[in-house]
Amino acid sequence: MKFSLKSLWRSAALAVVGVGLAFGTVAPAAAEDAKVQYIPLLTYRVGAYASSGIPIWAGIIDYFTYLNKAEGGINGVKLVWDECETEWGVEKGLECYERVKHGKDGSPVPILWPHSDPIAKALLEKATADKIPLLTLNYGPTESVDGRVFPYSFPVVLSFYSEASTAINYIAQVSGGKDKLKGLKIVTLYHDSPYGKETQTPLALLAKTYGFEDIQIPVPHPGNDQTAEWARIRQIKPDWVFLRGWGVMTPVAIKTAAKVGFPVNHIIGGIWSSSEEDVRPAGAVGKGYLAITTYPAGSNFPLDEKLKKYVIDKGLSNLKDPKSFGSVYYNSGLVDAIILTEAIRTAQGKFGNRPINGEEGQWGLEHLDITEKRLAEIGAVGLAPTLKLSPSDHEGGGIARVIQWDGEKWNTVSDWIPADTDLLRPVILEKAAAYAKEKGITPRNADGTTN
Amino acid sequence: MSSIETGSPAVAAAPAFASGSPNARGLALALGGLAALVLFVGVPLVGDDYWLNAILIPFLVMTLASIGLNLLMGYAGQASLGTGAFMATGAYATYNLLLRLPDLPLPVSLVLGGLLSGLVGVVVGLPSLRIKGFYLLATTLAAQFLLTWIFNQYGWFSNYSSSSSISAPRLEIAGHDLSSPAGRYLLTLTSVVVIATIAAKLVRSETGRTWMAIRDMDTAAAVIGVPVARGKLSAFFVGGFVCGIAGALWAFAYLGTVDAGSFNLDRSFQVMFIIIIGGLGSLVGSVIGAAFIVLLPILIDRVAGGLLGGAIDAGQLENFQKVLFGALIIWFLIKEPRGLAELLARAVRWLRSPARS
């Protein structure tokens, strides 16, 4: 008993020291003193989705390193960052958010990447209250396309609604026109989570408009056994399968499809089923699989030359596996970083070349205009899409391309395909209005001013 | 800041002291009053968003869920892996009450949501009249999967939101907006203190003695005339009720928005680990266990980050933290298989023993 008491006291003392060490808040220096721009990274380098996370942050960090080394940061303001591991989990994501939201050493948070659909949804209201814009590339709550109701949420480039619509439009293209959609059976195999369900509303609407049959089949998380689902698909004999997967679910789907004899080249993966990490584990049977993307794979964009010169060849890359250079996820990290830094640059144009805070970052995003010319300067033509945002349009795109796996690499097999924005936007606005009503929010005007 | 750490167990520990001599009771009351003052007034004044949102609110909600499971499993001996399902029921029930009967005050909706969850608990508990132990575990497991699936499957529960997630309507009591971190903290803290007090009374009442008799040996209890069936079902009702309130608070006071996935099997296991590590059949154990499971990983993360910041690959560091956390659990359970509450009780006995010099 004596012994355990001693150890109790010892652990108590240790705990007190630990608490002091860990939670003792460092008094932040005055904001004016900061000469650097802090960018917190909510990472998932461990857990079920680590294989996609690791190349994403490599892309982001390599781009930051390049900016700092080659261009001296953004207009002379160097970037600093640190990581907080979320494991893609909401609770950890919230903890990280609260930890980083006040910035670091006096440098505020200009824009935050939640890097997870559930975290983005959980932060929606908190970030609005804290005036920190959430930048969610190709995911995030679709309603927040309406920036008048959601001033601090930016589901840029491709919302889930647009994703579904571009997939259907691709099917229409290869079938010979939208009138050929009539009578087709299209199965959506989705991850049974809020993320996976986001395309149900637009697909139901598109099915009604074009006359195809919309069949929804859920796959329970994480999706490592789909025998029952594909047996059902085999019975249904659909013309196409739209695969809204995530993580391990995608390769399992491709493998199981091959096993039951469903043609892999009639499966279209969603935006989060479109990476090398998704198809390589499926092996040879993945050949012919299609997917939607907004950041094609490849390492011969002009930006890649600059990255090689200043980062990769100097041994400064965050990438452990050099083979991932130019992979879809690495490139998605680059596109993420380009959009964020261009928004900061835009904000600096109005507020001065200094660290930008969340409110200014929001202004920067709402006035972001990445033109073809600017993309050429960056060296990212064909890698990143052009992007013009406004207070009433936080998506700014709604276009995607289709890529096909040839067993070794992805090949782009379509031009940019636009979504049926005119058809979908009223539904999105309706949802946003319902949200505004439920929460008692007065939407801003189209130019961003309040009444 | 560390005063907050020691403050919260003190309140829950107060009933334990209260059973002593009149002197001790006076001391306990004074201590309890002081702790209440610190918790209800001091913390909201001093605590920043990080402390309230990321540390204290989840800790308090997990404490509540653990009290619910501890009443059911630690006191009444009915093993359950359905905690997540009860929490989900509470969350979805409260959400629908707030949404569809907007005139009901928040506390009423919260309690009604808890009651609905308690009724679900009774239904889930019906097989306990025939089976026990691991077999009962399997039926509660079925409830865990079935209920979360239902909430996910049928749009009505989430008001046909596109992703079947629910988010809190405005939180207010009598016109006071509770959506600030301090407001949500006070809502959670009040719920925990009220329920913990009731639970402490309950386990010392006849119902509590019935539960413990059933736990220790239900055949013997039946022989001496203890109403076994009623005891088991009442334990499921109370456990479901408390877990339901915890679920509603998890959804509205902590996360702000949830889907059924937030209340999956992992959550049930987490709560079960909390009471095993904290101490089965001990309310104080629920508090300490929740502190251990919720706060220690964050602490390890911060200490490791502070000491080794940037020197080691972030992914490796995270894995190392998991190893360390697992090792700590094993070490604690070998040193003290009856939970951290027993360790504390022994320390208290030692402090109070007159022979000490």
Side-chain angles (χ1 to χ4, degrees), chain A residues 84-428:
Chain A
C84 187
E85 174 66 39
T86 68
E87 295 179 47
W88 208 75
V90 178
E91 288 85 19
K92 287 206 148 195
L94 267 185
E95 200 261 321
C96 285
Y97 170 78
E98 295 291 347
R99 203 191 293 184
V100 301
K101 74 177 186 187
H102 294 297
K104 194 178 187 185
D105 301 334
S107 175
V109 178
I111 293 165
L112 187 88
W113 284 308
H115 266 303
S116 135
D117 193 51
I119 297 176
K121 286 183 173 127
L123 289 182
L124 191 59
E125 284 174 41
K126 292 186 170 68
T128 308
D130 295 326
K131 293 191 175 4
I132 294 177
L134 303 175
L135 183 62
T136 55
L137 175 63
N138 296 344
Y139 67 98
T142 306
E143 301 95 289
S144 62
V145 164
D146 186 356
R148 297 169 308 162
V149 178
F150 299 89
Y152 281 89
S153 180
F154 292 82
V156 293
V157 181
L158 193 71
S159 68
F160 291 129
Y161 279 38
S162 302
E163 177 189 337
S165 180
T166 45
I168 297 299
N169 286 347
Y170 174 75
I171 294 174
Q173 267 185 19
V174 292
S175 312
K178 281 187 177 162
D179 52 320
K180 297 286 192 305
L181 287 170
K182 201 170 178 66
L184 290 186
K185 282 189 196 171
I186 301 175
V187 163
T188 302
L189 190 68
Y190 65 93
H191 190 259
D192 197 4
S193 64
Y195 150 73
K197 292 175 145 203
E198 282 269 8
T199 45
Q200 288 180 344
T201 311
L203 281 169
L205 177 67
L206 291 164
K208 217 174 84 190
T209 311
Y210 298 121
F212 63 87
E213 200 181 333
D214 167 37
I215 305 152
Q216 299 279 333
I217 301 178
V219 174
H221 167 87
N224 44 20
D225 178 21
Q226 297 171 30
T227 321
E229 288 83 358
W230 282 95
R232 219 185 121 198
I233 290 175
R234 200 180 169 191
Q235 274 179 351
I236 297 169
K237 293 201 182 67
D239 299 284
W240 291 89
V241 171
F242 179 34
L243 180 64
R244 293 279 330 284
W246 175 220
V248 69
M249 178 180 152
T250 309
V252 172
I254 298 169
K255 265 194 277 193
T256 320
K259 216 183 289 168
V260 302
F262 188 85
V264 177
N265 60 6
H266 277 66
I267 306 175
I268 303 179
I271 193 90
W272 295 102
S273 298
S274 69
S275 71
E276 290 83 356
E277 285 78 359
D278 287 322
V279 280
R280 268 208 199 102
V285 298
K287 197 171 166 186
Y289 169 75
L290 298 156
I292 278 175
T293 194
T294 62
Y295 24 68
S299 55
N300 35 29
F301 302 102
L303 173 63
D304 293 318
E305 292 306 313
K306 302 193 220 173
L307 286 170
K308 276 190 201 125
K309 184 174 163 202
Y310 288 98
V311 184
I312 312 279
D313 294 346
K314 294 242 164 81
L316 298 171
S317 175
N318 188 265
L319 209 53
K320 289 242 162 54
D321 178 7
K323 275 206 302 291
S324 294
F325 183 70
S327 74
V328 168
Y329 277 133
Y330 183 85
N331 285 357
S332 96
L334 293 179
V335 173
D336 245 335
I338 289 170
I339 295 171
L340 177 124
T341 50
E342 290 309 302
I344 292 174
R345 212 183 289 277
T346 308
Q348 283 181 346
K350 179 177 165 77
F351 301 103
N353 296 341
R354 57 170 175 78
I356 293 298
N357 67 27
E359 233 177 321
E360 294 157 352
Q362 190 254 6
W363 190 93
L365 276 166
E366 286 197 333
H367 295 82
L368 183 68
D369 187 6
I370 304 179
T371 57
E372 200 73 30
K373 181 168 161 277
R374 180 63 196 140
L375 281 180
E377 286 162 18
I378 298 168
V381 175
L383 171 67
T386 59
L387 187 65
K388 184 168 167 43
L389 301 178
S390 72
S392 58
D393 180 11
H394 279 194
E395 182 185 13
I399 49 170
R401 305 175 88 156
V402 175
I403 50 177
Q404 188 164 34
W405 183 251
D406 66 3
E408 295 287 324
K409 63 177 192 327
W410 288 108
N411 298 305
T412 311
V413 294
S414 88
D415 219 342
W416 288 102
I417 302 171
D420 293 358
T421 317
D422 297 342
L423 184 68
L424 298 172
R425 188 154 167 94
V427 186
I428 296 173

Side-chain angles (χ1 to χ4, degrees), chain B:
Chain B
M1 275 299 176
S2 58
S3 65
I4 298 162
E5 281 283 282
T6 51
S8 31
V11 155
F17 294 106
S19 57
S21 61
N23 258 348
R25 185 172 300 182
L27 181 70
L29 272 179
L31 270 176
L34 188 70
L37 199 70
V38 169
L39 285 176
F40 280 94
V41 183
V43 172
L45 282 178
V46 180
D48 58 7
D49 287 7
Y50 177 72
W51 267 92
L52 296 173
N53 280 340
I55 309 262
L56 291 172
I57 295 177
F59 158 65
L60 285 170
V61 180
M62 283 324 272
T63 301
L64 197 57
S66 314
I67 289 175
L69 183 64
N70 221 335
L71 291 176
L72 179 61
M73 194 168 150
Y75 284 91
Q78 307 300 307
S80 163
L81 272 176
T83 314
F86 299 144
M87 290 175 79
T89 310
Y92 277 83
T94 310
Y95 168 76
N96 278 292
L97 286 163
L98 285 169
L99 184 78
R100 291 169 210 284
L101 303 168
D103 294 332
L104 281 185
L106 176 65
V108 178
S109 303
L110 204 57
V111 170
L112 284 180
L115 287 176
L116 282 171
S117 172
L119 289 179
V120 169
V122 171
V123 176
V124 173
L126 281 176
S128 72
L129 302 181
R130 287 295 180 86
I131 53 179
K132 36 182 148 167
F134 288 117
Y135 302 98
L136 183 60
L137 215 55
T139 67
T140 56
L141 191 61
Q144 167 69 55
F145 287 121
L146 180 70
L147 284 163
T148 48
W149 178 80
I150 287 176
F151 295 134
N152 206 9
Q153 187 69 21
Y154 296 101
W156 183 85
F157 290 103
S158 52
N159 199 20
Y160 302 100
S161 112
S162 59
S163 52
S164 63
S165 51
I166 53 174
S167 73
R170 275 167 63 81
L171 292 178
E172 51 179 35
I173 291 180
H176 292 282
D177 188 12
L178 290 181
S179 51
S180 70
R184 288 184 282 113
Y185 163 76
L186 285 175
L187 174 70
T188 314
L189 180 68
T190 312
S191 312
V192 173
V193 168
V194 168
I195 290 175
T197 313
I198 296 173
K201 290 243 182 276
L202 199 61
V203 295
R204 264 190 289 277
S205 72
E206 196 183 325
T207 314
R209 287 199 298 277
T210 306
W211 289 348
M212 286 183 264
I214 295 169
R215 173 191 66 192
D216 293 342
M217 192 187 233
D218 58 349
T219 322
V223 168
I224 58 166
V226 171
V228 172
R230 210 173 67 199
K232 282 181 178 174
L233 293 185
S234 67
F236 268 100
F237 177 76
V238 176
F241 172 81
V242 177
C243 290
I245 303 247
L249 291 171
W250 188 261
F252 305 139
Y254 174 40
L255 292 183
T257 168
V258 289
D259 62 283
S262 305
F263 302 111
N264 58 12
L265 187 58
D266 292 348
R267 184 77 52 227
S268 299
F269 273 121
Q270 190 188 21
V271 177
M272 194 185 254
F273 290 146
I274 287 178
I275 66 169
I276 290 174
I277 288 167
L280 282 167
S282 157
L283 293 180
V284 182
S286 302
V287 182
I288 307 176
F292 188 85
I293 294 273
V294 177
L295 305 184
L296 194 66
I298 302 175
L299 187 67
I300 295 176
D301 187 29
R302 308 263 340 218
V303 171
L307 294 180
L308 309 166
I312 299 178
D313 176 73
Q316 298 289 356
L317 192 63
E318 192 66 22
N319 286 327
F320 168 72
Q321 285 159 19
K322 284 196 164 36
V323 172
L324 184 62
F325 184 63
L328 271 172
I329 289 179
I330 294 170
W331 181 76
F332 264 120
L333 287 183
I334 289 173
K335 283 280 173 206
E336 190 47 74
R338 286 158 74 190
L340 296 171
E342 179 64 23
L343 212 64
L344 182 78
R346 222 189 281 157
V348 169
R349 276 203 298 276
W350 178 74
L351 279 172
R352 293 170 84 190
S353 85
R356 178 170 54 93
S357 58

